[in-house]
Every structure is written in C-alpha cells, then in structure tokens.
Amino acid sequence: MQHMAGDSISLADYVAVVFGVLSLASLGYNAGQIGPFFPPEARRRGVSQTAIGLIISASDLTEATGAVIIGSLVNATWMKHLLVSGGFTGSASIVIFGLTGLINGKVLFAIFSLLSQLSRGCGASMLWSISIPILTASFTKNGGLITSLMQVAFGIGLSVGPLMGNLLFTVQGYYLPFVFAGSLQAFFAMNFLRFHRGNIHEVNKDTHQTQKHGFFWLFSRPWILCITPSLMYSSSIFGFLDATYSNYLVDTLNVPQHQEAYYFTPLFLGYTLACPVVGVLIDRGFGTMLYCAFSLLTSVFVTLLSLPSLVPALENEAYMSCCLFTLGVCVSSVVVVQYLLVIHIAMAYNIASTESVKLMVCSFLSLTFAGGKMIGPAFFGGFLAETLGFYCTVATLGVVGAVTCTLGVLCVWRTGLIARIYYPPDVSEFSLLLPENQSDDKK
C-alpha cells in the first residue's frame, strides 16, 4: 500500500490499521450473533414478533442519530478518540445485552435488551463514521482496497459470529457468546489506541481549507439522494433477515433449535468473499459498473427467496442458502461502491477540506445504512412479517428493491459516473456535469 508522499511509515502504522480493521470485524461479529440467538430467546419468553423487530432496530435508531451528530459537529481532531470510544461503548453494550439472558421475566428482559441495543448503536455510529477517514488517511492511493478490507473484516465477523456463538452457546447458554464478543471488541479498541501515532489532522495538510457547507448540505443534492436509497435497501435486507430468518428456519424448514446460526453463514460468506474483489476492481475503475449490475441483481435475488411459496419443491435449506450466498455477493458491491460514488459527487463541489468531506460522507452513509437496518426489522421484519408472513414480505421487499435500485442506476448513468472512476477521486471532469456546482461557486 502506498503511503502519503513525504511521510515515513512504520510498523506501528500497519499495526494500527490492522487493529482498526479488526474493530470493525468485532462489530460484525457482534451483529452476526443478534439474528441467530435473540429472536428465539425472546420468543421463548413470550415477546411478540413486532417487539422483537423493534428491539433489533433500536441500535440502528441511535446509530442514525449518532451519524447526524458526528457529521454535523465533529471535526478531524476528534476522530481517533471517537473511534476508540465507539469500540469501548459497543463492547460494554453487547456484554450487557448478553447478560439480559440471566434476567427472569419477559418485561425486564425486553427493556434491558432494548436499552443495551440503543447503547450499542452509539458505538457502531462512532466506528462506521470515523473508520474510513482515519484509516485511509495514511494510504491515500488505496482507498478502494482499504474500504473493501473494512467490509471484508465486517463480513468475516458476521460469518464467524454465528458459528463461534453457537459453540459458546452450547457451553454456557445465551449470555456467553455476547460476553466473549464484547471482550474481543474492547481488546481491539485498546490496541488501536496503543499503536495509532496521532490524530488525523497531523497526517493531512489540507484541513485549513474554509468549509463552505456543512453536513446537512448533502441532503440537498439530488444525485446523492437518488443513489443512496439502494444502500438503505441493501441494509434493510440484513435487518429483515435478523428479525425473521431464525424463526422461519425453525417453523417452516424444521431446523433444530439452536442450529439456526449455521444457516446465516452463506449470506455473510458471500458478502465477505466478494468484498476484496470489489475493492480491487474499484481501484481499477470498474466500481460503478459493478454497482449498476449488482444493485439490480440484489432485488432479483431477494424476490427469489419468495419463490418456494409458488414452487414447494424449492422449500429447503439448500435453495435458501444458495440464494443467500448470491445475495451477499450482490449486496457487497452496492455497499462498498457507495462511498466511492458519494465522495465523487461531494468533492466535485469543493465544499471543504478532503478529510472534512470524507467525515461528512461517511456519517451520511452510516445514517443511510442505519436507516435501512432500522426499517428492515421494525417494519418489514416486525409489522409486515407478522401481518403477511415471511414469503409475502420477501416479495414486497423485492418490489421495493426493483424501484430503488433502478433509480440509483439511472442516476449513475445520468451523472456520467458510469464511466471509469478511481479512488482518490479526480473530480475535475465530473464537476462539469453538475451545473448547480457553478451556481454554488458564484455564490
């Protein structure tokens, strides 16, 4: 990886990046255990499906709120401390979430699960909003690779979480998987704090640039608002499956209790394996082509999950696992490329320093991702699944995806981003396609 010109690189820099990436892996590890273990435990205690969906989505509510606060108020000098704080906050929250398994009674279990989820969302918001700006600051020519490695780490955590959690569950029951996950996240955060050499403003030299627009300016850009719904849709799929898939496996496919975790692996494995390939292709200029192809395929494979309702012979673990694996591959392209697309649009307006724009964009995308993760379990996986059932809800998700992903592809085509674009962005040609940019500069 190429370091910034003029700066010496040491082993500590690489180690800091490793522990920063591992912090995201632990975040994925934590998230990967919610879906397999919480819904069955909550249902065993008499918690309704709607309440289960609301509790799962609670972390995304605070993650979205935190992203707005970070994007609008935080400056580059706070990044390192917020990244570490996010790791420790998430660690404590997931431990408390697991210890709720020792509480007797439905109401107290639901209340403390909700509170710990709200706290976990705060930690996740800090990690997602800060990680890309601070970890790509020293390796400016490999933004696609670094970004994809973060998603790979998150995907590995998602894949390993259910498997390792299931092993720990058989040893000590509900609480042990979450206590172990929290301890792991605290260890990674502590080591990142130890090895990272300084704040991001010490590495980058352009933070003196006057900021012309703030975080909320991103909400006024129609191109951004047309592209990012596909990210919200992709994250809603994860949230929906977290809330419904475990119970579907037990009720419909007759999977034995406490074996549901294994059947989440194909989704996370497809996501993890595709991310490094996507990162390399981004650095070679093919990011937008991947986005256009796989965003449309995402809605197709979501719809295919409902096909067993029409063809009963497909109602088996093998078919669902194949669909989930392919779905994971498609979603990885949508998620990883989003940063490249939005950073190109935002930087074309020259509104602030590079690192300030990165922070605003990452916070904006964290807000969008969390919004989808919140809608997925609360609306689709809670109210709609309880009303329509699993298959009809999946079919509805497929229709919603066809609309949102088509909108994103048309927007990419209209802006000219369909051409090869690279990281770090060269926005000189692209900015000419944005006539409103000229009016902004005149002002």
Side-chain angles (χ1 to χ4, degrees):
M1 287 184 288
Q2 183 172 343
H3 195 258
M4 283 193 67
D7 288 338
S8 61
I9 189 168
S10 68
L11 180 61
D13 292 310
Y14 286 108
V15 175
V17 169
V18 168
F19 279 110
V21 169
L22 286 175
S23 293
L24 289 179
S26 65
L27 191 64
Y29 184 91
N30 297 346
Q33 297 188 97
I34 301 293
F37 300 114
F38 174 71
E41 178 69 16
R43 192 170 66 164
R44 185 181 68 82
R45 293 169 178 260
V47 180
S48 70
Q49 181 63 39
T50 300
I52 290 172
L54 290 172
I55 291 171
I56 291 177
S57 67
S59 64
D60 303 296
L61 174 63
T62 49
E63 183 176 344
T65 305
V68 173
I69 295 172
I70 292 171
S72 55
L73 298 179
V74 171
N75 59 52
T77 61
W78 302 357
M79 287 187 182
K80 174 182 176 180
H81 306 293
L82 280 177
L83 187 65
V84 174
S85 298
F88 285 116
T89 302
S91 168
S93 302
I94 200 68
V95 168
I96 294 171
F97 187 84
L99 293 176
T100 58
L102 303 178
I103 298 175
N104 293 321
K106 175 179 71 174
V107 176
L108 284 178
F109 171 80
I111 289 174
F112 279 97
S113 295
L114 175 65
L115 292 175
S116 57
Q117 277 287 85
L118 290 170
S119 176
R120 189 173 73 87
C122 294
S125 178
M126 297 179 203
L127 283 171
W128 278 122
S129 297
I130 302 298
S131 57
I132 292 178
I134 200 170
L135 295 180
T136 59
S138 298
F139 303 96
T140 56
K141 299 298 183 183
N142 302 95
L145 181 60
I146 294 290
T147 304
S148 68
L149 284 176
M150 295 176 192
Q151 295 296 334
V152 169
F154 184 72
I156 290 174
L158 287 172
S159 303
V160 174
L163 302 178
M164 187 67 183
N166 195 70
L167 177 63
L168 295 172
F169 184 94
T170 58
V171 173
Q172 198 63 41
Y174 178 78
Y175 77 90
L176 185 59
F178 298 103
V179 172
F180 177 78
S183 304
L184 203 62
Q185 187 167 358
F187 173 76
F188 293 146
M190 180 177 63
N191 279 280
F192 175 80
L193 179 63
R194 175 185 175 188
F195 286 102
H196 192 265
R197 290 192 296 172
N199 290 319
I200 196 167
H201 72 287
E202 296 170 349
V203 178
N204 293 279
K205 313 301 182 185
D206 66 342
T207 54
H208 64 278
Q209 181 177 332
T210 302
Q211 184 164 319
K212 297 192 290 186
H213 298 286
F215 172 74
F216 291 100
W217 172 87
L218 295 173
F219 290 88
S220 68
R221 298 300 96 186
W223 303 122
I224 294 176
L225 296 180
C226 288
I227 290 174
T228 50
S230 58
L231 175 63
M232 182 177 289
Y233 171 70
S234 298
S235 63
S236 71
I237 297 169
F238 283 110
F240 166 75
L241 292 173
D242 276 346
T244 60
Y245 196 53
S246 286
N247 292 337
Y248 165 80
L249 289 168
V250 173
D251 297 340
T252 305
L253 301 186
N254 299 316
V255 171
Q257 284 279 355
H258 311 313
Q259 299 297 312
E260 310 97 311
Y262 297 121
Y263 295 91
F264 281 79
T265 302
L267 174 67
F268 303 143
L269 186 62
Y271 185 90
T272 304
L273 293 177
C275 278
V277 179
V278 172
V280 171
L281 291 175
I282 285 175
D283 286 334
R284 295 186 178 182
F286 294 102
T288 50
M289 301 174 195
L290 290 174
Y291 170 82
C292 291
F294 285 103
S295 59
L296 295 174
L297 286 174
T298 298
S299 62
V300 171
F301 281 99
V302 168
T303 306
L304 288 178
L305 286 174
S306 66
L307 196 57
S309 64
L310 301 177
V311 185
L314 297 177
E315 194 172 75
N316 56 70
E317 297 94 328
Y319 174 79
M320 298 299 285
S321 295
C322 288
C323 285
L324 288 181
F325 178 85
T326 313
L327 187 59
V329 172
C330 296
V331 168
S332 70
S333 297
V334 178
V335 172
V336 176
V337 177
Q338 282 281 332
Y339 175 72
L340 177 72
L341 294 176
V342 178
I343 200 71
H344 263 79
I345 296 174
M347 290 186 68
Y349 290 92
N350 194 30
I351 61 169
S353 67
T354 301
E355 298 312 322
S356 295
V357 171
K358 285 182 181 180
L359 179 58
M360 287 192 289
V361 167
C362 288
S363 298
F364 182 83
L365 294 180
S366 180
L367 168 64
T368 305
F369 192 87
K373 283 289 297 296
M374 184 166 48
I375 294 170
F379 178 69
F380 290 107
F383 168 75
L384 212 58
E386 197 164 38
T387 305
L388 301 179
F390 181 81
Y391 288 130
C392 288
T393 305
V394 168
T396 304
L397 261 175
V399 173
V400 172
V403 174
T404 56
C405 294
T406 301
L407 178 65
V409 170
L410 290 175
C411 181
V412 167
W413 187 279
R414 175 66 182 83
T415 58
L417 284 171
I418 193 67
R420 287 194 182 188
I421 58 176
Y422 299 87
Y423 189 97
D426 178 8
V427 298
S428 56
E429 294 184 4
F430 172 63
S431 61
L432 298 177
L433 300 172
L434 301 173
E436 63 268 34
N437 184 25
Q438 298 175 3
S439 62
D440 281 354
D441 289 339
K442 290 177 183 178
K443 293 176 183 178

